[in-house]
Amino acid sequence: MNRAVRRLITLASALTLSLVTLPVAQSTASPGAYWTPERMRAAVPLDLRTAPPSALRLTVPTGEPTTVAPLAFPNGGSAWTGGGSVVSTAGRVFFTYQGRNASCSGNAVTSANKSTVITAGHCVKLDGAYHTNVVFVPAYNNGNAPYGTWAARTTLATPQWHASEDINYDIGAIVVGQLNGQYLTDVVGAQGIGFNLPKADNTYAFGYPAAAPYDGTKLVYCSGRTFNALISNGIGLTCDMTGGASGGPWLRGFSEATGTGTLNSVNSYKINLFPNWMFGPYFGADAQNLYNQAQAA
């Protein structure tokens, strides 16, 4: 069992609603220069979290429903061969974790600063420390970065993930700096994001799984109707994506024609008893607070 999951404790009631913002530690080289195509290809996919039922809870604080506007169905996991905005808004997240180069997934969202990427909490912090050399590579394609490599200037996590890496609040955000004088979403576009929405809906999940049988070279998707997990407050979806997909977007109201939808969860964890299901955290009040701080950073 992963050490981070074993440490999960129910401290949510004692936590404040203030979000934690930490500067990203830098290597000798800038993160953009550090991540060569060879390092990207060799990055180890960060595993999806695995949670026992005892680590999950049935309720996560919510607020008023809010939405920030911006192939085949169902599908359990295959390469996305369609086009549309998701091809450029989704990408791989690269970072250094415990001395090794690793990867997750993320997605650019509409935001006031035009620089916000939503991902999983364990893709910015794990085992008590925040990752370093964090970059976002939209539209990653087998070592190629067609829209550039965007270095993080700030990483954030929900207070619950920061304090105890509580799997129920596994949500993170990356605020990237400008690249060549341009803002991220002016270059790649953005997906909408929603909070406190009904859990059951037709949804497309995207990511860059890099653990077998996938290799991290291409964007993969699952699609189906999400369901309310009876033993947790998470959202479930039939999906076989593997490590490296963590942090990839769940898009409801998704249009295959335009590649756009509303992000309302991310690839986060699997439960021991249900290996063919993917789960994502519910985007309630804490997720909304995180997004608001990220877009103001």
Side-chain angles (χ1 to χ4, degrees), residues 34-35 37-49 92-105 122-123 126 131 140 208-212 214-216 242-246:
Y34 177 82
W35 285 105
E38 292 74 22
R39 282 182 171 140
M40 290 180 187
R41 292 189 186 99
V44 177
L46 197 67
D47 291 339
L48 288 160
R49 301 297 87 193
R92 288 187 80 176
V93 175
F94 293 97
F95 50 87
T96 301
Y97 159 64
Q98 294 188 341
R100 65 178 173 132
N101 294 331
S103 70
C104 275
S105 301
H122 68 269
C123 296
L126 188 59
H131 307 320
Y140 175 87
Y208 283 85
Y214 301 102
D215 60 10
T242 59
S246 294

Side-chain angles (χ1 to χ4, degrees), residues 116-288:
T116 298
V117 175
I118 297 297
T119 186
H122 68 269
C123 296
V124 298
K125 172 187 180 285
L126 188 59
D127 293 331
Y130 279 75
H131 307 320
T132 58
N133 295 323
V134 181
V135 298
F136 175 62
V137 183
Y140 175 87
N141 181 11
N142 195 22
N144 297 312
Y147 295 98
T149 298
W150 299 74
R153 58 180 176 85
T154 304
T155 55
L156 307 92
T158 58
Q160 295 87 347
W161 185 262
H162 172 78
S164 62
E165 297 181 2
D166 186 333
I167 199 70
N168 299 279
Y169 297 89
D170 184 18
I171 311 166
I174 300 167
V175 180
V176 300
Q178 290 185 354
L179 184 63
N180 299 323
Q182 295 180 293
Y183 291 101
L184 174 65
T185 60
D186 284 341
V187 175
V188 304
Q191 301 290 344
I193 186 168
F195 308 95
N196 307 304
L197 302 176
K199 293 182 179 180
D201 200 355
N202 292 340
T203 297
Y204 287 65
F206 293 87
Y208 283 85
Y214 301 102
D215 60 10
T217 61
K218 58 182 71 72
L219 183 64
V220 172
Y221 82 107
C222 297
S223 61
R225 190 163 183 83
T226 52
F227 54 88
N228 183 358
L230 296 178
I231 62 174
S232 79
N233 193 63
I235 305 171
L237 179 69
T238 299
C239 185
D240 71 358
M241 280 196 274
T242 59
S246 294
W250 288 31
L251 301 173
R252 61 191 291 158
F254 182 76
S255 166
E256 291 188 354
T258 64
T260 58
T262 298
L263 191 152
N264 74 317
S265 189
V266 294
N267 299 319
S268 172
Y269 62 93
K270 293 196 172 184
I271 298 175
N272 295 337
L273 300 176
F274 309 108
N276 295 322
W277 290 346
M278 177 82 77
F279 290 88
Y282 181 70
F283 274 26
D286 294 282
Q288 189 169 9

